[in-house]
Amino acid sequence: MKIKETIGIDISKLKFDARIHSSQKFNVFENSSKGFKMLVKWVSKNSTYKKSETLFVFEHTGLYSNQLSLFLAKLELKFVLVPGLAIKRSLGITRGKDDKIDAQKIALYGFRLRDEITPTKLPIPAIMQLKNFLTLRERLVKHRAGFKASLKEQKKILIKKENELILKVQKKMIKYLTKQIVEIEAKMKGIIKNEVDLHNLFKLITSIKGIGPQTAYFLIAYSDGFTKFKNYRKFASYCGIAPFPNSSGTSIRGRNKVSNLANKKIKSLLDLCAKTAIQHSPEMKMYYTRRIDKGHNKMSTINIIRNKLLARVFAVVKRNSPYIDTMKFAA
């Protein structure tokens, strides 16, 4: 059914501001299940449109917007999670910051694009859980890397006998963090194993030389089990490996460039995958060597290989069969 009403919501940690576009009614609610229930009642009372014609629009703020998303999905109400940058850029030059005005702008943004916006569909609980574990693992890995770097430097400079406790505590922290990382990895492995569809996706993706378990987890989680993106080009754009033109009139004639608006983590993982593929896949090694010998740029060649790997990932998922390395059958 066509969207006729939009509700703009500006979410913060403890509360959220809501604005009904048609009536311009405004209210503030607690960011809790009690506040969510009051929001739905308030909208029903102050809007003349049906629930099926109403769209709730709010910024994707991670943890703060997660509970509202789950609540609306449970009631089968239409909502859309929008990147903050998209809202900001759509409304031109603004000055200052006010939650009440922001809610109005978000409602206006949703109303202007109501015919183009596709309501958000939350991924299955297993994928949401997988995302949470990936985020936690990444945080722990960063902390461990920090302790390792610090310990390495201190071992070179500090006298061991006089600083035994400082070194000992850091060693224990590294050991403890490693244990927690291993435990999280086991949990993620269990999530994938217990879901038949996800386990099948995992086997298909890792059949490609260069793609390891961690990359497979990220690809499954951030593509919502390969349902969020129509093709690999869309996903390549999302993770910042798709080249875009860099030219304007007669003054700018630059090379094609990748965008900085990207999922940097997946981009770095695909970079590692490309370098691994160059080492262990005869086909990729041959392609890389041939291009470099012709004088092509090293980084652009690696980026092409990143795209090739991603294209293979989407291909094996689409046809539901593992990747076959045809090079080993060559005479």
Side-chain angles (χ1 to χ4, degrees):
M1 190 174 284
K2 192 175 181 180
I3 300 298
K4 297 179 181 178
E5 178 71 283
T6 56
I7 315 299
I9 300 172
D10 185 74
I11 297 182
S12 59
K13 184 178 179 180
L14 300 176
K15 66 180 182 68
F16 61 89
D17 300 66
R19 173 82 69 175
I20 300 173
H21 179 73
S22 62
S23 63
Q24 286 298 299
K25 293 282 185 179
F26 173 81
N27 211 337
V28 182
F29 303 92
E30 285 182 17
N31 193 357
S32 63
S33 56
K34 182 183 176 182
F36 304 152
K37 290 175 184 175
M38 289 176 68
L39 168 70
V40 174
K41 288 180 181 178
W42 175 73
V43 170
S44 297
K45 185 179 178 181
N46 291 281
S47 175
T48 57
Y49 296 100
K50 298 176 184 177
K51 288 182 179 180
S52 57
E53 298 173 326
T54 302
L55 179 70
F56 293 82
V57 186
F58 48 101
E59 188 181 337
H60 196 320
T61 54
L63 195 62
Y64 298 157
S65 60
N66 187 49
Q67 292 305 312
L68 178 57
S69 301
L70 292 169
F71 179 83
L72 294 174
K74 190 176 180 180
L75 293 181
E76 296 183 349
L77 295 172
K78 293 175 183 176
F79 68 95
V80 62
L81 288 161
V82 185
L85 187 62
I87 297 170
K88 185 178 179 181
R89 289 190 171 182
S90 72
L91 299 172
I93 298 171
T94 57
R95 294 176 177 84
K97 179 79 173 74
D98 184 271
D99 292 342
K100 186 176 180 179
I101 295 172
D102 286 347
Q104 181 182 1
K105 289 176 179 177
I106 294 168
L108 177 60
Y109 169 86
F111 189 77
R112 282 176 174 174
L113 299 176
R114 64 191 183 281
D115 295 328
E116 300 173 24
I117 288 176
T118 302
T120 299
K121 288 185 178 180
L122 293 180
I124 61 173
I127 287 180
M128 294 178 73
Q129 196 177 18
L130 183 63
K131 273 186 181 179
N132 291 334
F133 278 120
L134 285 168
T135 302
L136 179 58
R137 181 189 178 277
E138 190 177 353
R139 194 175 297 132
L140 294 178
V141 167
K142 283 181 180 178
H143 284 310
R144 184 179 64 176
F147 279 116
K148 281 183 175 181
S150 176
L151 183 63
K152 187 178 179 181
E153 289 299 312
Q154 288 174 357
K155 277 183 176 181
K156 292 178 183 177
I157 298 168
L158 299 179
I159 300 169
K160 189 176 181 181
K161 287 183 179 180
E162 294 177 3
N163 299 278
E164 192 173 340
L165 182 60
I166 293 173
L167 301 176
K168 184 181 177 182
V169 168
Q170 290 182 96
K171 284 179 182 177
K172 281 187 175 181
M173 286 301 298
I174 292 167
K175 188 176 179 180
Y176 177 75
L177 288 170
T178 301
K179 183 181 176 182
Q180 297 305 309
I181 290 166
V182 170
E183 192 175 330
I184 288 168
E185 287 174 348
K187 186 69 177 177
M188 290 192 296
K189 190 176 180 180
I191 291 169
I192 294 292
K193 196 173 181 180
N194 291 334
E195 290 285 337
V196 177
D197 291 340
L198 298 188
H199 190 230
N200 182 51
L201 287 174
F202 181 81
K203 289 195 294 183
L204 291 171
I205 297 166
T206 51
S207 69
I208 301 166
K209 276 190 178 180
I211 306 288
Q214 288 303 318
T215 305
Y217 293 150
F218 269 93
L219 293 176
I220 291 169
Y222 286 88
S223 67
D224 289 353
F226 291 87
T227 61
K228 193 174 180 180
F229 298 89
K230 291 181 180 179
N231 52 57
Y232 92 89
R233 290 182 181 85
K234 296 282 186 185
F235 194 76
S237 178
Y238 165 74
C239 57
I241 63 170
F244 291 95
N246 181 37
S247 63
S248 179
T250 57
S251 58
I252 300 175
R253 281 287 184 271
R255 292 180 178 178
N256 289 356
K257 290 183 178 181
V258 296
S259 174
N260 285 323
L261 299 175
N263 185 318
K264 301 287 178 66
K265 179 60 183 179
I266 298 180
K267 184 177 181 178
S268 65
L269 285 171
L270 289 172
D271 187 66
L272 292 173
C273 290
K275 289 170 182 175
T276 302
I278 290 166
Q279 289 181 327
H280 300 285
S281 170
E283 182 187 355
M284 291 299 186
K285 187 176 182 179
M286 188 185 298
Y287 177 81
Y288 176 79
T289 305
R290 188 167 64 245
R291 273 187 62 89
I292 296 301
D293 289 344
K294 287 180 179 179
H296 289 287
N297 182 272
K298 180 181 175 182
M299 288 310 299
S300 68
T301 304
I302 290 174
N303 192 60
I304 291 170
I305 293 172
R306 288 192 291 198
N307 278 275
K308 280 179 174 289
L309 289 175
L310 194 57
R312 287 179 180 182
V313 167
F314 274 75
V316 296
V317 168
K318 186 177 180 180
R319 68 170 184 253
N320 195 30
S321 63
Y323 179 74
I324 298 170
D325 186 4
T326 55
M327 283 287 287
K328 65 182 180 182
F329 298 109

